[in-house]
Amino acid sequence: MKTIKVGLGTCGVSAGGEKVYTALKNEIAKEKIPVKLLETGCMGNCYQEVLVEISDENGNDYMYGNVTPERVKRILDEQILQDKPIAEWIVKGLNAETEDTFFAKQKRIVLRNCGIIDPNSIDEYIARGGYQAIQRVLKEYSPEQVIEIVLKSGLRGRGGAGFLTGMKWRFCRQAAGDKKYIICNADEGDPGAFMDRSTLESDPHSVLEGMMICAYACGADEAYIYVRAEYPMAVRRLQHSIRKATEKGFLGKNIFGSKMNLAIRIKEGAGAFVCGEETALIASIEGKRGMPRFRPPFPAQKGLWGKPTHINNVETCATVPWIIDNGAEAFAAMGTENSKGTKVFALAGKIARGGLVEVPMGLTINEIIYDIGGGIHGGKKFKAVQMGGPSGGCIPATMGDLQIDYQQINKTGAIMGSGGMVVLDETTCMVEMAKFFLRFTQDESCGKCTFCRIGTKRMLEILERITDGKGQEGDIELLEDLADKIRNNTICALGGTAPNPVLTTLKYFRHEYEAHIRDKKCPAHRCAPLLTFTILENECTGCTLCARVCPAEAITGEKKQIHKIDQAACIKCGKCFETCNFKAIIKD
């Protein structure tokens, strides 16, 4: 029997996936069509939502993109009932001409089941080999041997710091204590990042299985998933998955007939970015205000409730079962000398084909931007990419041949982070972009450290002054001095990395800061107070459209006569520039 799968992650639902699913369900029932209708999670190519994948009896798959309820009847009539693929709507399938290159350079390990299985079905996860890794671990390996396998794979924590996962497990294993905990950090809060949310929504059992293996290696019998309450679909699917795994005896006491016990609980966070930091996260689970503390002692020594605690993020946990199933060597064979395996990125911003991608380490930034992402939206020029979220940094397009590798990214001044990749085009003002990310970290500072609380505030004021056209000589040096003090006088990574967007844009786009301050111009034509709109006399037809849309009544002129802008009255809104059909208005 043919099957139809509808992508119903947050991306799919936001694009209207539930309406498409309902239309399919109603039409199938009405016409009594012999087909199996299923829901699945994010398929990755979010830019073509709503996505519907059809599999026939011969094992052929056809992925339809941009599906609407209006297209449902034709898909059922032609693809399902007549076996006639609708070539112009297919975005991935057998037809070579329409094969989407979005997936060509990807290697999906973490995302191996995303968009394939029903995330609410534990049986579908099992049918794809799920929960075999934990059974093998329990039967064949000691905890120390599991740690050796993970060490040999070269897996580094995907939460941002990139510390060797096996080494971190060993620290917790060797820590003294009669009680140990593990935590899955799903407090994803970076602007433009949705890797963890999509994985939890699409394949929650892979995360649970990774946590089980981690708990066995570390010697823990209790675990928490710290996930944002603003991710309701992820929370709902996690709760369902934990319940199903417990009912089958995969969680609880004497797992798979072994001596291992494990209970997994969910802690919903209130959405504070600082709670992504380990010690703040632990404080939040304990019911305290989520604020970081000095280390040592590290969580592996004294963590949750004062007991040895190990923390990994969602991507790290979901990777572990694959390593056990396929071997450490298979994982280590991918990537570069210092960065093994694959990395998931949320490709967002001014990109033509945004979505969730997973690539082998070692691919270049340009390969991700152009070969996978299809280049810049609207055919504009690639300017830079912000990596690692607000704590990361900006890498210019001139460094597009840089490989995705922890050390190479760090050398630019940016960091890999958890995998946010916000693409910027030629219309982006780099000073404004730095201001956006600094405002985020300033708002999210817990306020414990003076330099983070006050220093970022002063930096933000300077950036606001510059983009308002009130920048002055010495502002750049003051930004650099404050950044240095903030980085060296705060106790957690939020403060330590908060100045990164400013420092990297100063490093690679200093001329834009200087143009704002000295010339009172914004090279990208984004900062309104620095813009001037002028009507070209030889192009103006006197159509009066610009005058009619000007909210400040700053444009005057008779019909079929050349118009003029009163610069003193102009509020720089740009409505005249956007409205003119004759390109008679320039923006400078």
Side-chain angles (χ1 to χ4, degrees):
M1 180 183 289
K2 294 184 178 69
T3 60
I4 302 176
K5 286 184 285 192
V6 182
L8 291 178
T10 293
C11 49
V13 171
S14 301
E18 289 180 329
K19 291 179 181 176
V20 170
Y21 185 88
T22 301
L24 281 164
K25 186 178 178 181
N26 292 340
E27 192 67 18
I28 290 168
K30 177 184 169 187
E31 301 298 330
K32 298 180 179 177
I33 300 172
V35 65
K36 192 175 182 181
L37 179 63
L38 304 169
E39 66 175 83
T40 189
C42 174
M43 297 182 183
N45 43 339
C46 308
Y47 66 101
Q48 295 186 111
E49 295 282 6
V50 174
L51 290 157
V52 172
E53 189 166 40
I54 296 173
S55 302
D56 65 21
E57 298 85 346
N58 299 317
N60 300 316
D61 298 324
Y62 305 87
M63 184 183 287
Y64 286 87
N66 305 304
V67 180
T68 62
E70 291 74 25
R71 291 186 171 187
V72 161
K73 187 170 184 354
R74 186 181 167 193
I75 291 174
L76 290 173
D77 286 346
E78 297 183 27
Q79 174 73 70
I80 299 295
L81 296 177
Q82 301 179 54
D83 288 321
K84 291 181 179 177
I86 307 169
E88 66 266 31
W89 293 351
I90 289 180
V91 295
K92 182 171 178 277
L94 292 180
N95 189 332
E97 293 182 1
T98 57
E99 187 75 30
D100 193 344
T101 56
F102 183 80
F103 295 96
K105 288 194 173 181
Q106 293 195 49
K107 173 66 179 175
R108 296 168 82 84
I109 290 176
V110 174
L111 307 179
R112 58 193 178 279
N113 297 320
C114 298
I116 295 174
I117 65 170
D118 178 350
N120 291 314
S121 171
I122 190 171
D123 292 332
E124 287 197 22
Y125 180 69
I126 293 171
R128 293 270 299 174
Y131 289 112
Q132 288 185 5
I134 179 63
Q135 292 185 66
R136 179 180 298 171
V137 161
L138 292 174
K139 290 178 182 175
E140 300 179 15
Y141 303 125
S142 67
E144 290 76 14
Q145 287 173 316
V146 176
I147 291 171
E148 284 300 322
I149 291 171
V150 176
L151 267 176
K152 197 174 178 181
S153 74
L155 175 64
R156 299 168 67 152
R158 299 302 196 231
F163 199 79
L164 277 173
T165 300
M167 191 72 75
K168 210 171 165 186
W169 286 15
R170 180 176 286 166
F171 290 152
C172 187
R173 178 75 194 171
Q174 294 177 343
D178 57 343
K179 177 80 176 177
K180 295 177 183 176
Y181 295 93
I182 64 164
I183 298 172
C184 175
N185 182 354
D187 190 56
E188 180 178 66
D190 301 13
F194 47 89
M195 305 79 61
D196 291 351
R197 187 201 70 209
S198 294
T199 303
L200 291 171
E201 290 176 351
S202 306
D203 191 17
H205 286 288
S206 69
V207 180
L208 298 184
E209 188 176 6
M211 292 177 69
M212 294 166 72
I213 296 169
C214 174
Y216 174 72
C218 294
D221 62 359
E222 282 192 62
Y224 284 85
I225 302 174
Y226 189 88
V227 58
R228 292 193 159 221
E230 63 201 60
Y231 284 0
M233 185 184 292
V235 172
R236 196 165 57 247
R237 290 182 177 171
L238 272 174
Q239 290 170 333
H240 178 82
S241 300
I242 292 172
R243 188 163 59 249
K244 289 298 176 183
T246 305
E247 287 173 2
K248 280 190 174 288
F250 297 175
L251 289 173
K253 294 187 179 299
N254 304 119
I255 294 171
F256 295 111
S258 72
K259 295 180 180 178
M260 179 182 172
N261 304 324
L262 182 65
I264 297 181
R265 299 180 177 86
I266 294 173
K267 169 66 178 178
E268 294 183 47
F273 184 66
V274 73
C275 286
E277 198 277 339
E278 291 185 346
T279 57
L281 185 157
I282 288 171
S284 181
I285 292 178
E286 291 175 340
K288 304 170 186 170
R289 182 177 172 183
M291 298 178 80
R293 62 163 172 78
F294 281 105
R295 293 182 290 182
F298 294 95
Q301 302 163 306
K302 190 176 180 181
L304 187 62
W305 317 117
K307 303 294 184 182
T309 302
H310 172 76
I311 303 177
N312 274 139
N313 87 326
V314 170
E315 186 179 338
T316 313
C317 292
T319 305
V320 169
W322 190 95
I323 292 173
I324 299 297
D325 283 335
N326 295 274
E329 296 80 4
F331 190 80
M334 294 178 283
T336 65
E337 183 178 353
N338 297 306
S339 300
K340 304 296 185 185
T342 60
K343 180 76 191 81
V344 179
F345 289 101
L347 197 54
K350 306 292 182 64
I351 192 78
R353 304 191 300 207
L356 199 65
V357 306
E358 184 173 2
V359 299
M361 292 281 194
L363 231 62
T364 67
I365 291 174
N366 277 341
E367 285 179 290
I368 296 176
I369 301 295
Y370 291 102
D371 297 347
I372 296 174
I376 305 304
H377 182 72
K380 290 188 170 61
K381 189 177 177 183
F382 174 36
K383 186 171 186 177
V385 60
Q386 173 73 17
M387 288 191 65
S391 301
C394 189
I395 300 175
T398 52
M399 301 177 74
D401 289 331
L402 193 74
Q403 286 185 307
I404 298 299
D405 173 286
Y406 281 95
Q407 290 183 337
Q408 292 203 44
I409 297 296
N410 289 349
K411 286 178 183 175
T412 68
I415 59 172
M416 189 86 80
S418 57
M421 188 176 275
V422 181
V423 180
L424 312 172
D425 70 12
E426 59 189 302
T427 67
T428 305
C429 169
M430 303 311 288
V431 184
E432 190 178 48
M433 194 279 297
K435 185 177 73 175
F436 170 82
F437 283 109
L438 191 66
R439 178 176 289 126
F440 178 86
T441 48
Q442 211 281 318
D443 286 345
E444 293 292 333
S445 171
C446 74
K448 187 170 186 174
C449 304
T450 305
F451 274 103
C452 183
R453 183 179 71 249
I454 305 297
T456 55
K457 178 69 174 173
R458 296 288 92 86
M459 286 185 74
L460 181 59
E461 289 170 352
I462 295 169
L463 292 174
E464 288 173 338
R465 190 165 73 217
I466 293 173
T467 55
D468 283 345
K470 299 172 184 173
Q472 55 198 32
E473 291 295 336
D475 276 350
I476 292 177
E477 291 73 16
L478 191 52
L479 282 171
E480 291 174 327
D481 182 52
L482 281 166
D484 183 62
K485 288 183 168 60
I486 294 167
R487 296 177 76 176
N488 295 304
N489 292 282
T490 54
I491 67 172
C492 86
L494 188 150
T497 57
N500 280 358
V502 177
L503 290 173
T504 50
T505 50
L506 274 172
K507 183 177 181 181
Y508 300 113
F509 298 95
R510 193 180 189 94
H511 60 282
E512 292 200 19
Y513 283 81
E514 292 171 345
H516 281 72
I517 295 170
R518 295 168 189 169
D519 305 330
K520 305 303 178 190
K521 292 290 182 184
C522 174
H525 299 150
R526 291 286 304 175
C527 298
L530 299 175
L531 299 180
T532 301
F533 294 92
T534 308
I535 295 177
L536 298 172
E537 294 187 359
N538 57 340
E539 300 291 342
C540 179
T541 65
C543 71
T544 73
L545 191 57
C546 58
R548 280 184 276 155
V549 300
C550 177
E553 298 182 347
I555 302 178
T556 57
E558 299 295 325
K559 192 172 183 179
K560 296 186 179 180
Q561 299 295 317
I562 297 171
H563 283 47
K564 291 186 177 179
I565 300 176
D566 180 350
Q567 297 297 335
C570 178
I571 59 172
K572 325 286 188 184
C573 68
K575 288 188 178 299
C576 58
F577 177 79
E578 296 167 2
T579 306
C580 182
N581 294 321
F582 303 98
K583 297 183 179 179
I585 299 177
I586 58 172
K587 179 169 64 173
D588 185 30

